[in-house]
């Protein structure tokens, strides 16, 4: 799976970074960055939790 962020919606509160620091990070401009092109299998559940819990609905799963 892959995950994408809509930067127009994201408020950069880093909740997803706490869940999956191997996939998400804040860049030097304090904007959310997806650092994993392909989500590692052992991170998929955490990423799906992040998608479900994002307060801005800014994350989406892609094939
Ligand atoms: S949880 Fe949502 S709003 Fe917060 S940093 Fe991640 S994508 Fe952005």
């Amino acid at each position: 799976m892959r995950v994408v962020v809509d930067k127009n919606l994201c408020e950069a509160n880093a909740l997803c970074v706490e869940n999956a620091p191997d996939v998400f990070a804040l860049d030097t401009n304090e904007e959310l960055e997806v650092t994993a092109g392909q989500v590692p299998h052992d991170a998929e559940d955490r990423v799906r939790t992040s998608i479900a819990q994002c307060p801005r609905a800014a994350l989406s799963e892609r094939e």
Side-chain angles (χ1 to χ4, degrees):
M1 71 176 283
R2 294 190 307 121
V3 60
V4 294
V5 59
D6 183 336
K7 292 189 176 184
N8 292 319
L9 295 175
C10 175
E11 62 185 13
N13 56 29
L15 293 176
C16 55
V17 181
E18 290 175 24
N19 272 343
D22 45 350
V23 175
F24 303 109
L26 293 181
D27 68 16
T28 53
N29 294 320
E30 296 289 305
E31 287 191 358
L32 187 78
E33 182 180 15
V34 178
T35 58
Q38 191 74 21
V39 174
H41 286 301
D42 67 352
E44 287 185 353
D45 286 350
R46 289 181 284 115
V47 168
R48 290 195 174 101
T49 298
S50 297
I51 291 170
Q53 293 182 344
C54 174
R56 302 282 297 162
L59 298 173
S60 311
E61 180 175 343
R62 294 282 186 274
E63 289 300 317

